[in-house]
């Protein structure tokens, strides 16, 4: 009888131990499941954030590459040490070393004769439907008289669009139209005043004796010339990026 009772107690203890073990295992499994769920949710959120960042970066890169841009820069050294500054208005509140013109989406060809006659009379961005127009000022806010150069560079050109592009530079009201040399090597196009300086440069100019408080007003106009023989369907989808850079080459 004592042995039977002892066996029953042993079985009861084993059953209780099994129950406790099962309970511990169950709690452990529940805790691990919750932890796994939290980790997976965090990974999902992190993946969404990464995808969003990459998408935004790709979109910015896509639009920049597809539609091009026009940027104006001066050397920061010249800005800090010589007081050369950029502004979209004759008066300025702070010195700027970089200006960015608004882009035009899906520009199509036009005639330069159709550009507004007062196109250099408006400050800042004033694009048309099929042309970029940007007016800004280069100001000597320093104490020295300097000599500077300004040049417009072709930072990239794809699809042959540079064959038919025109760049008009208005400096203090004086207009000069630049275009690429005729594709047959026959010199400048009839609607241009000058040819591009090189395959990577539109133009270069120099201003000597640029005195303190003096201002040079620039208007840059960019369009696709429809009367250019190279303005064909072959350049559809082409892109181009231009940048204008100023630097001091001498000071007195």
């Amino acid at each position: 009888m004592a042995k039977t009772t002892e066996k029953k107690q042993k079985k009861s203890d084993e059953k209780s131990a099994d129950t406790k073990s099962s309970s511990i295992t169950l709690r452990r499994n529940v805790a691990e499941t919750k932890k796994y769920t939290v980790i997976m949710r965090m990974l999902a959120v992190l993946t969404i954030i990464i995808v969003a960042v990459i998408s935004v970066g790709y979109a910015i890169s896509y639009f920049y590459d597809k539609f091009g841009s026009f940027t104006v820069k001066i050397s920061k050294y010249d800005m800090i040490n010589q007081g050369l500054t950029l502004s979209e208005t004759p008066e300025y509140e702070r010195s700027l070393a970089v200006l960015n013109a608004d882009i035009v989406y899906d520009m199509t060809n036009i005639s330069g004769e159709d550009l507004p006659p007062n196109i250099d009379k408006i400050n800042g961005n004033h694009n048309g439907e099929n042309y970029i127009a940007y007016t800004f000022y280069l100001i000597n806010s320093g104490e020295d008289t300097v000599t500077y150069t300004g040049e417009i560079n072709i930072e990239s050109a794809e699809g042959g669009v540079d064959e038919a592009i025109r760049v008009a530079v208005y400096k203090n009201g004086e207009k000069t139209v630049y275009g690429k040399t005729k594709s047959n090597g026959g010199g400048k196009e009839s609607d241009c005043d000058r040819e591009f300086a090189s395959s990577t440069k539109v133009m270069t100019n120099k201003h000597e004796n640029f005195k303190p408080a003096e201002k040079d007003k620039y208007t840059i106009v960019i369009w696709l010339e429809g009367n250019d023989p190279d303005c064909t369907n072959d350049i559809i989808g082409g892109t181009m990026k231009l940048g204008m850079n100023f630097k001091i080459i001498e000071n007195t």
Side-chain angles (χ1 to χ4, degrees):
M1 187 71 178
K3 288 183 178 180
T4 302
T5 302
E6 184 178 341
K7 287 181 179 180
K8 288 183 178 181
Q9 183 63 42
K10 184 176 181 181
K11 288 182 178 180
S12 177
D13 291 343
E14 290 176 351
K15 184 177 181 181
S16 177
D18 290 341
T19 301
K20 288 181 180 179
S21 176
S22 298
S23 177
I24 292 171
T25 301
L26 180 61
R27 286 198 298 271
R28 183 184 297 117
N29 289 339
V30 170
E32 289 176 351
T33 300
K34 288 182 177 179
K35 184 178 180 180
Y36 176 79
T37 301
V38 170
I39 292 173
M40 291 305 295
R41 286 177 179 175
M42 290 176 65
L43 288 175
V45 171
L46 183 60
T47 301
I48 292 172
I49 292 173
I50 292 172
V51 170
V53 170
I54 292 174
S55 299
V56 170
Y58 176 79
I60 292 172
S61 175
Y62 172 79
F63 283 113
Y64 184 73
D65 287 338
K66 182 172 177 58
F67 302 111
S69 66
F70 178 70
T71 304
V72 185
K73 298 179 182 179
I74 58 174
S75 164
K76 288 189 176 181
Y77 176 87
D78 291 341
M79 181 185 73
I80 295 171
N81 293 280
Q82 297 294 336
L84 212 59
T85 189
L86 296 168
S87 175
E88 291 187 346
T89 61
E91 299 75 27
Y92 67 98
E93 296 181 356
R94 60 191 180 94
S95 295
L96 296 174
V98 180
L99 294 174
N100 291 296
D102 289 343
I103 58 180
V104 174
Y105 296 91
D106 291 331
M107 181 188 293
T108 59
N109 66 82
I110 59 172
S111 169
E113 297 178 355
D114 296 331
L115 295 171
N118 66 335
I119 200 166
D120 66 326
K121 307 300 181 185
I122 306 169
N123 293 329
N125 291 288
H126 48 101
N127 298 338
E129 184 177 355
N130 291 305
Y131 63 84
I132 292 172
Y134 189 59
T135 298
F136 63 93
Y137 296 81
L138 181 68
I139 304 168
N140 186 350
S141 61
E143 299 178 354
D144 297 330
T145 297
V146 301
T147 296
Y148 76 80
T149 59
E151 59 182 32
I152 297 179
N153 297 308
I154 301 172
E155 297 178 356
S156 71
E158 298 178 4
V161 70
D162 55 321
E163 297 291 341
I165 207 77
R166 296 293 187 270
V167 180
V169 179
Y170 295 76
K171 181 182 178 183
N172 299 324
E174 184 177 344
K175 176 185 177 183
T176 306
V177 177
Y178 298 87
K180 197 170 182 180
T181 303
K182 290 181 179 179
S183 55
N184 63 7
K188 67 181 181 64
E189 298 288 352
S190 59
D191 63 303
C192 297
D193 299 305
R194 296 183 185 178
E195 301 168 56
F196 283 179
S198 71
S199 60
T200 59
K201 186 179 297 183
V202 173
M203 53 75 71
T204 300
N205 71 356
K206 182 168 71 171
H207 186 144
E208 297 178 344
N209 298 317
F210 191 47
K211 297 177 175 58
E214 193 171 352
K215 303 172 184 178
D216 277 343
K217 178 183 179 181
Y218 285 91
T219 297
I220 310 299
V221 186
I222 304 166
W223 74 97
L224 279 171
E225 178 53 57
N227 294 318
D228 191 308
D230 292 311
C231 190
T232 65
N233 290 339
D234 293 337
I235 67 173
I236 292 176
T239 64
M240 192 170 186
K241 300 176 188 176
L242 297 172
M244 189 166 191
N245 301 297
F246 293 97
K247 64 180 179 180
I248 293 173
I249 59 173
E250 184 180 348
N251 66 294
T252 57

